[in-house]
Amino acid sequence: MQYAGALEKRLLGKTEVSALYTEYRIPYTFRAMEPSFNPTIIEDKWQKKWEEARIYEADLKKAKNPFYALVMFPYPSGDKLHVGHWYNFAPADSYARFMRMHGKDVMAPMGFDAFGLPAENYAIKSGIHPDTSTRSNVQTMVKQLRRMGCMYDWSKMVNTSTPEYYRWTQWLFLQMYERTLAYKKEAPVNFCPSCQTVLANEQAQDGKCERCGTEVIQKNLSQWFWKITDYAERLLNGLEDLDWPEKTKIMQRNWIGKSEGAEITFDIVGHDERITVFTTRPDTLFGATYMVLAPEHPLVEKITPKSHWGAVHAYREGVKKKTELERTDLAKVKTGEPTGAFAVNPATGEEIPIWIADYVLSTYGTGAIMAVPAHDERDFAFAKKFNLPIKEVVAGGNVEEAAFCDEGPAVNSEFLNGLKTSDAKKRMIAWLEDAGKGRERTTYRLRDWLVSRQRYWGAPIPIVYDPEGKPHPVPEKHLPWLLPDDVEFKPTGKSPLMESKEFIRRTEKIFGKGWTPEFDTMDTFVCSSFYYLRYLAGGDEKRIVDPTIERKWMPVSMYIGGPEHACMHLIYARFVMMALKDFGFVSHEEPFKKLVHQGLITHKGAKMSKSKGNVVSPDSFVDRYGSDVFRMYLMFMGPFTDGGDWNDLGIKGIDRFVRRLYALCTESVNKKVDQQKVIATVHRTVKKVTRDIGEMHFNTAISALMELLNLLEEEGGVSKESAKTMVLLLAPLAPHLSEELWEVLGGKGFVIEQHWPLFEEALTKESMVVLAIQVNGKVRGEIEVEANAAKDDVLAKAKEHPNVHKFLEGMVIKKEIYVPCKLVSIVV
RNA sequence: GCCGGAGUGGCGGAAUUGGUAGACGCGCACGACUCAAAAUCGUGUGCCGCAAGGCGUUGAGGGUUCGAUUCCCUCCUCCGGCACCA
């Protein structure tokens, strides 16, 4: 015990010694001068025992009561496990353990989302092959993850960058291709000049690259898409029954962006072609005083007369140069150019000018609009700027001053006049259908998923082209369609796979001279859209998943991960699951029945980042306090879904709690019979911890255990029975320590295999309770009464209280309220 | 602009259906142990008061109620998401 002091003096004198301990990995025990408790030793011991007994390996076939506990699998970065991983995984593990103690057959797998840009960028810098760095990162992370002591079933591990895995990514592509859900199309797409690749819409939100923040530009490229839009309605309706955060559902709903309205066709003066528009306000057709085409609209070239072509062409070129961000900047002044062509308003028969303007998007609706400046803010601003007529067709506003976008009675609209907006819409649609000039229509903002990437480190798209350039699927027997090795990693905007001689030779050898492979790889979100099925596959080479096991284990019982995937991974995975169900490979439509997002851990009030220098490294804290204490502190900081700000000192509170608990269970367990107060508190604690962990309120569950410990210490000891109950309650939160204490207390088997303790409601209540006595809403005293005392007795006793009596003297009592076990309120 | 969520001590946070606001923890102060420090333990920690007790209080203002952090209205601030979607 003096050893520590002597060592300290010898090495350092009085200066900061904690750094020294961390550096030399001297067990914390010496500092704490409690040689019996050493988290490092205890945690090693139990991790080995769990592994030897293989108690976390789930038997997927035999399990009777399956509980699929899933966390979003990590990217194996060279930066190793960070606090964010811990904050996601550790509470998820506590919840899974809690379910196991409730008799569930829990399966908690872990794997790696291993394809992607960072490994490739690292390869560009270092020359190390992404496969080499990825494998080494995976190894390191597995070690760190094991040290967390979570109940992962490592026998089910997946790594998306291995051929065994990506053959299924490619297989999925082929399934989509076969059913025409995968198609190639030339379209304006988001391109990140820094990553040198195209991006899906979901990855270019705000006009910036999701990965590097660079402003994306628009390019016309021929790319592979998956037809997620076919599933828009199902993706929307399916949300109804999911046990997900409401916020996430709203985000997905907005992202899908359903809107109902009509499609209206306008004739063009002097041309056979017509312009079709989509509008949610067909009732305002009489007010359409001009039309606007998106600059990229294919009709622009056909209808623009020579006299206007120069200006129109110049405008289009100008728009092309703008980034997505510039183009969608709301603050900017509207621009546009008349095409010189005219259309006919089908309702009024009037000729109205056709403009082009970049406030109309080519990618939404039909890429063309009818402009109703009186009743649409954007059209109003445009009309004001270019002096176009504004015609009121809905009463209720002052359309000279501002657009009136609310509903109201129709005016200046012949057969619609007087109708309220909803009726006018219906009437107009009926009229358009009769006249053959339009129909009811629903549109979605969701766009097809662009899955091509011009990058190396991904699953190759299993397509080859014949000498005429026609695409053909790579037959399934050639899967995995291997990612070639002989490439440079420098991004050029062209796919790195183009450099591979082996890749081209292989293609010609199998398919014939002049055949070429598809050089693009797939978006990594494809890999992660079905990984939850591969965990269940157990390395099955024949099928993506065994249908019997899928039927039994899907959907995922509890899925935990960050909220940033609301409109990416979480929408893609739903789409893929629905598609696989339609193809007949799975039985469920939705992959994730219940979803919870963990909050964000900040440090010194800011998001952790290397550039800010505020990154908290879990390793040094785990070295010092142990994994149990580290994870419990993360859970104690605040509500799981809120996250919190990391505080180096806060963890000491948990460390003290754990040491005191250890001391109690090893030194102060006695034969004495628990007093009623202790019994009631134990039962209340069981009740509270059960509810709190069930609701993922880990912070209050831990504080309840602290309160119990405080009481037991005051009592000077604990019965073995109560100690055991307490250790069982602790088991999901501190898995190693609780195993150790369970053993110390003579418990049989692993603590995690015990049943969760039960409580009796009747025993949670004590016979005597303290009541507050209020006079006119202010607390004037307290009395102790029997919990089931009669109202009259309590009131009489309350009035005897000297201080209460003082406030009642000379007053007339108006009202007396008695809330059993809570308070007495007297109004005078 | 639209859609969500949140504002409670020095700090993180807690408060079943409206029922003693500030549990639990951190920090801080004083005390015990020590030559000393760390660790540990004890006491205190909204304000006034030696105390009994009194007063105040959950972003601001108003309302309902015996009683409001909780319900209703107005406003302010912060955070997250979407944003020329016709």
Side-chain angles (χ1 to χ4, degrees), chain A residues 350-367:
Chain A
E350 280 169 25
E351 292 189 6
I352 56 176
I354 305 170
W355 286 61
I356 62 168
D358 67 356
Y359 82 90
V360 173
L361 308 172
S362 63
T363 44
Y364 182 75
T366 61

Side-chain angles (χ1 to χ4, degrees), chain A residues 334-491:
Chain A
K334 294 216 168 3
T335 61
E337 195 62 41
T339 62
F342 287 83
V344 180
N345 181 325
T348 62
E350 280 169 25
E351 292 189 6
I352 56 176
I354 305 170
W355 286 61
I356 62 168
D358 67 356
Y359 82 90
V360 173
L361 308 172
S362 63
T363 44
Y364 182 75
T366 61
I369 62 156
M370 64 177 209
V372 186
H375 305 293
D376 180 282
E377 275 176 41
R378 298 150 300 177
D379 297 344
F380 182 85
F382 194 81
K384 278 281 177 198
K385 173 152 184 215
F386 293 106
N387 257 323
L388 292 157
I390 298 169
K391 179 184 170 192
E392 181 181 54
V393 290
V394 180
N398 178 359
V399 299
E400 292 307 311
E401 294 300 316
F404 176 71
C405 306
D406 294 342
E407 305 200 340
V411 293
N412 301 324
S413 299
E414 301 179 15
F415 57 88
L416 298 182
N417 283 344
L419 293 178
K420 63 176 185 176
T421 302
S422 56
D423 292 338
K425 282 181 183 175
K426 280 181 207 147
R427 188 69 220 284
M428 178 53 88
I429 289 170
W431 183 84
L432 285 166
E433 277 169 359
D434 280 350
K437 298 201 164 162
R439 62 189 176 92
E440 196 165 12
R441 190 180 151 187
T442 300
T443 59
Y444 301 87
R445 296 167 67 176
L446 185 72
R447 290 180 234 165
D448 278 341
W449 179 11
L450 199 177
V451 297
S452 308
R453 293 293 179 276
Q454 289 73 50
R455 299 295 304 217
Y456 171 72
W457 193 231
I461 292 175
I463 290 287
V464 289
Y465 298 91
D466 63 26
E468 278 79 53
K470 197 168 163 271
H472 298 266
V474 173
E476 217 175 305
K477 64 176 177 189
H478 293 299
L479 299 189
W481 184 237
L482 289 175
L483 181 65
D485 269 335
D486 53 337
V487 296
E488 287 287 319
F489 302 116
K490 286 226 164 51

